[in-house]
Amino acid sequence: MSPQSPRLICLAGKNQGSVVPIDPAVEFSIGRDAGNQISVADLTASRRHCAIRAKDGGFVIADLESHNGTFVNGSQITERVLEHGDRVRVGASTFLFAQHAQLESSLSEVEIKDGDWNAASSIVMPNAAGRLQIMPSSPADLELVLKINTGLGSVRELEELERKLLESIAEVTPADRGAVLMVGKNPDEFTSIFGWDKLASDLDTDVQIEARPVHVSRPAIDRALRERAAFLGNNAAEGIASLLVVPLIVLDRIVGVIYLDTANPQTPFEERHLQLLAAVGPIAGVALENARRLQWLQEENDRLQSEVAAGCDLIGESSAMQEIHRFIAKVAPSDSTVLIGGESGTGKEMVARAIHAHSGRAEQPFVAINCAALTESLLEAEMFGHEKGAFTGAVAQRKGKLEAANGGTFFLDEVGELSLVLQAKLLRVLQEREFERVGGTRSIKVDLRLIAATNRDLKQAIQEKTFRQDLYYRLNVVSVDMPPLRARRQDISLLAAHFVAKHAGKSPRPAPGISPEASACLANYDWPGNVRELENAMERAVVMRSGEWILPEDLPDAVLESGSSTGTSASPLPKYHAAVLETKKQLILKALEVTGGNYTEAAKALGVQVNYLHRLIRNMNLKELIAKK
């Protein structure tokens, strides 16, 4: 097979580890029937599930009306152009489409080999009462087990833990190569495979050598999993002097297997090595399973956190909001890039989430990042991820937000704050749908929809040479401007009631109503902070209220002052409130005059608490007037 010939590499399923070349001259099919180029023994796959065909110098994949669908990079497809690095899922099998040699070299670190396995001699350590025998044969070996287990306890990343485990075992055994294979719900499929080669590990990082794949015997692994037993085999296969296989069992459930071999017949594995590995296995299994679950929980938590709405729903009945809803309905079904403009606090992220929720990517992640919240270097690492050692503190490889959004929607808030360097990198993502991690050299393909938001005038920024014109055109495929709250005043009362109900739900007290006077103040205020400022004001009012109603005095001073103005609105409500406010002032002054300035007695006379009286005096600016009297 030519290094550049197209091929499918099976990453998961019963064909795990196989590499099948694709002949451009014929249709390449995948399905359950034996007549397909790749036959998958899987009831969730159709007889002829999908096909790959040459087209216009490339390749396309088409679903053949399968029952359960064909997925590329997590998205269900009818027909799609295949690109180097795409992952194709058919039932329980996952394949990687490769056209370049360098991708395969990174994936062939572990090769699972079928065929006969006939060890000249073997030692089996059987499962006893549901558990492997784990007692080492000597105090020295017991000390080694404790040392290894202590080392594993300091590592949390799954890949680093697997590396640490194999390196620690190699220090006390003659292992030349090893692998850790983690299984899923189906023991026949591996969800994680990590290989280790002692020769490559011992060489300096500057020395370049051709990668040697770690050949793992499938029959040997199958036996360990089937019999739930650790065993040692001598003269197991050509080029292998001996091998060790130990299943990893956690709470009577097999979670994986450790595989080791050595090619030197002068230093084969011995029974003490088998005992040692069987002693390490149970604790290693717990550590690996915990690391895997922690990794999954962290990724799932990040995804769910990003999908929880950070603000309010898109509430509003004004004509401006009806136009926004029509826009969302039009653009959501497409994959076009969207640019959302508008002042801070108008709900730009909520529009982005609504577009995602009504799109074909709704079941995939929505990942948001604020370009103004981080420094340039941190933002770059957060967006693109980084390789181990890329900078100080990069102790392990980390995926970025772009990778986390693969298959879904990536939301860039405050995109106008991006530096010119990051603008250039973002432009490449939009054009090529690929990027490199910080400190990396391998291009990573992503399938995502990008939505950007800004409160800046990007055309002005282009003139000031702080924003790239070519990036602007890439972002501004379809665009919309969110109206400020002062431009849709009829929505203020709906939003205020929504926020009162939201924040009152956190309190044991029943939700209050909003008095007409307070509503007048809210409607008369210009809300420079828009919806975000309104929510903060209503949360404050819910906390500060004294009765069953939110009164003007419960609102922030800026809103209160606006509500007491009689010249900024044609509505009679502000004038009515001004009259009520003046009456309250006179009642307070009269009560203090009658009680001789005694605030406690004045509060009793007015039927309010003394603290509330002090707050009324402060909000109405009565202190100076009282002092003069």
Side-chain angles (χ1 to χ4, degrees):
M1 182 177 64
S2 166
Q4 297 298 323
S5 64
R7 58 210 178 277
L8 282 183
I9 303 168
C10 185
L11 303 179
K14 292 186 180 297
N15 299 304
Q16 168 87 41
S18 62
V19 180
V20 183
I22 299 174
D23 185 354
V26 298
E27 183 180 87
F28 185 99
S29 62
I30 305 173
R32 206 169 68 244
D33 280 350
N36 294 289
Q37 277 75 11
I38 294 182
S39 176
V40 291
D42 180 2
L43 292 177
T44 61
S46 299
R47 295 183 182 279
R48 292 189 78 248
H49 198 101
C50 63
I52 298 174
R53 310 180 184 101
K55 183 178 180 180
D56 299 330
F59 290 86
V60 296
I61 183 169
D63 182 75
L64 301 178
E65 298 183 351
S66 65
H67 291 300
N68 294 313
T70 301
F71 296 80
V72 177
N73 299 330
S75 299
Q76 188 170 358
I77 60 97
T78 302
E79 183 172 299
R80 171 186 170 131
V81 175
L82 280 174
E83 296 182 343
H84 179 65
D86 281 348
R87 293 179 179 237
V88 178
R89 179 161 63 83
V90 175
S93 297
T94 301
F95 305 90
L96 187 131
F97 177 72
Q99 286 181 293
H100 309 312
Q102 64 267 29
L103 182 58
E104 188 174 62
S105 66
S106 66
L107 292 171
S108 61
E109 188 176 10
V110 174
E111 290 184 0
I112 301 177
K113 295 291 187 179
D114 291 318
D116 294 333
W117 175 73
N118 295 309
S121 63
S122 62
I123 302 174
V124 180
M125 183 166 290
N127 185 8
R131 297 180 181 275
L132 290 170
Q133 301 285 352
I134 62 171
M135 182 61 68
S137 59
S138 69
D141 285 347
L142 178 59
E143 185 178 347
L144 290 173
V145 170
L146 294 174
K147 179 181 177 182
I148 291 173
N149 291 336
T150 301
L152 296 181
S154 62
V155 184
R156 290 291 179 267
E157 296 289 336
L158 179 60
E159 187 172 310
E160 286 300 304
L161 186 61
E162 291 167 331
R163 185 188 306 279
K164 178 73 173 177
L165 173 62
L166 293 174
E167 288 176 348
S168 299
I169 291 173
E171 291 179 3
V172 294
T173 70
D176 292 325
R177 289 170 300 277
V180 177
L181 302 95
M182 302 296 289
V183 302
K185 293 182 179 179
N186 184 351
D188 295 331
E189 295 178 9
F190 300 110
T191 61
S192 170
I193 299 176
F194 181 84
W196 173 86
D197 188 316
K198 184 176 183 179
L199 175 61
S201 177
D202 288 345
L203 289 173
D204 294 339
T205 55
D206 294 334
V207 179
Q208 299 297 320
I209 64 168
E210 184 178 355
R212 299 192 312 165
V214 178
H215 294 156
V216 174
S217 168
R218 180 176 285 278
I221 294 174
D222 287 346
R223 176 181 175 181
L225 296 176
R226 183 178 62 253
E227 299 181 5
R228 302 167 71 90
F231 65 87
L232 179 159
N234 291 313
N235 299 321
E238 183 179 351
I240 298 179
S242 60
L243 61 80
L244 277 175
V245 185
V246 173
L248 302 173
I249 302 176
V250 177
L251 297 177
D252 205 35
R253 182 174 66 89
I254 294 178
V255 299
V257 63
I258 300 175
Y259 177 96
L260 302 171
D261 69 37
T262 177
N264 188 351
Q266 304 300 319
T267 56
F269 292 122
E270 300 172 356
E271 185 174 357
R272 61 179 291 265
H273 297 135
L274 178 62
Q275 292 178 334
L276 183 65
L277 200 60
V280 171
I283 298 179
V286 172
L288 290 166
E289 180 67 0
N290 286 343
R292 179 166 63 170
R293 287 181 176 272
L294 180 61
Q295 179 176 294
W296 180 86
L297 286 171
Q298 288 173 336
E299 293 173 354
E300 187 69 5
N301 182 61
D302 291 342
R303 185 181 71 81
L304 292 174
Q305 288 282 1
S306 70
E307 291 182 357
V308 173
C312 68
D313 296 328
L314 283 172
I315 295 171
E317 298 176 352
S318 64
S319 58
M321 284 307 297
Q322 290 176 13
E323 190 64 33
I324 294 298
H325 285 294
R326 284 193 289 270
F327 174 84
I328 292 170
K330 287 181 180 179
V331 304
S334 74
D335 261 354
S336 298
T337 302
V338 181
L339 179 62
I340 306 171
E343 298 176 6
S344 293
T346 51
K348 296 187 288 296
E349 183 171 344
M350 295 309 302
V351 172
R353 291 182 183 275
I355 292 172
H356 171 75
H358 292 85
S359 73
R361 299 174 179 266
E363 298 301 320
Q364 302 301 319
F366 177 94
V367 179
I369 190 169
N370 190 324
C371 301
L374 301 170
T375 63
E376 180 180 347
S377 59
L378 288 176
L379 181 60
E380 182 179 15
E382 191 73 10
M383 282 179 61
F384 300 102
H386 60 74
E387 299 290 349
K388 179 181 178 181
F391 50 83
T392 302
V395 296
Q397 181 193 82
R398 182 185 177 189
K399 293 181 179 180
K401 298 281 190 179
L402 282 167
E403 281 183 88
N406 193 33
T409 301
F410 184 61
F411 176 61
L412 268 174
D413 200 7
E414 306 298 354
V415 69
E417 304 302 322
L418 278 178
S419 68
L420 290 172
V421 172
L422 291 183
Q423 287 178 36
K425 293 189 175 185
L426 177 61
L427 182 63
R428 185 192 173 198
V429 174
L430 287 170
Q431 291 176 332
E432 308 296 337
R433 288 298 191 267
E434 67 179 25
F435 64 94
E436 288 93 31
R437 296 192 188 106
V438 177
T441 57
R442 182 173 67 88
S443 292
I444 299 170
K445 290 283 186 179
V446 286
D447 169 30
L448 52 80
R449 180 184 198 169
L450 192 137
I451 301 178
T454 181
N455 61 6
R456 294 184 59 190
D457 184 344
L458 294 185
K459 291 182 179 179
Q460 180 65 31
I462 291 171
Q463 294 179 1
E464 296 171 355
K465 300 188 182 304
T466 59
F467 201 84
R468 294 177 62 111
Q469 188 175 39
D470 49 3
L471 177 58
Y472 173 75
Y473 290 134
R474 281 285 180 178
L475 293 174
N476 193 32
V477 178
V478 288
S479 61
V480 67
D481 285 328
M482 285 297 293
L485 191 53
R486 60 184 174 276
R488 53 184 187 108
R489 292 185 186 274
Q490 68 189 87
D491 294 333
I492 291 176
S493 59
L494 292 174
L495 287 165
H498 168 78
F499 291 134
V500 167
K502 174 182 175 181
H503 293 290
K506 305 172 185 177
S507 169
R509 293 193 293 173
I514 303 176
S515 69
E517 299 90 342
S519 294
C521 293
L522 297 175
N524 197 50
Y525 184 53
D526 277 344
W527 300 105
N530 293 294
V531 178
R532 187 180 295 122
E533 184 184 6
L534 175 61
E535 179 173 9
N536 291 340
M538 301 320 296
E539 182 179 5
R540 177 189 188 277
V542 168
V543 173
M544 299 299 294
R545 68 187 168 104
S546 297
E548 298 178 357
W549 293 88
I550 289 176
L551 303 174
E553 293 78 12
D554 301 318
L555 299 174
D557 291 343
V559 180
L560 187 64
E561 291 169 5
S562 176
S564 63
S565 173
T566 60
T568 57
S569 173
S571 169
L573 286 174
K575 296 180 180 179
Y576 166 77
H577 171 65
V580 172
L581 191 64
E582 183 61 30
T583 301
K584 286 183 177 181
K585 289 181 180 179
Q586 295 303 321
L587 286 172
I588 292 171
L589 293 174
K590 185 66 175 178
L592 286 171
E593 181 181 349
V594 170
T595 60
N598 187 313
Y599 283 85
T600 302
E601 294 299 323
K604 287 181 180 180
L606 293 169
V608 298
Q609 295 180 355
V610 67
N611 289 339
Y612 182 57
L613 176 60
H614 281 290
R615 183 153 57 88
L616 287 174
I617 292 171
R618 183 175 64 254
N619 289 341
M620 295 181 185
N621 297 317
L622 294 178
K623 286 186 176 181
E624 292 184 5
L625 190 59
I626 293 172
K628 290 179 181 178
K629 289 188 176 184

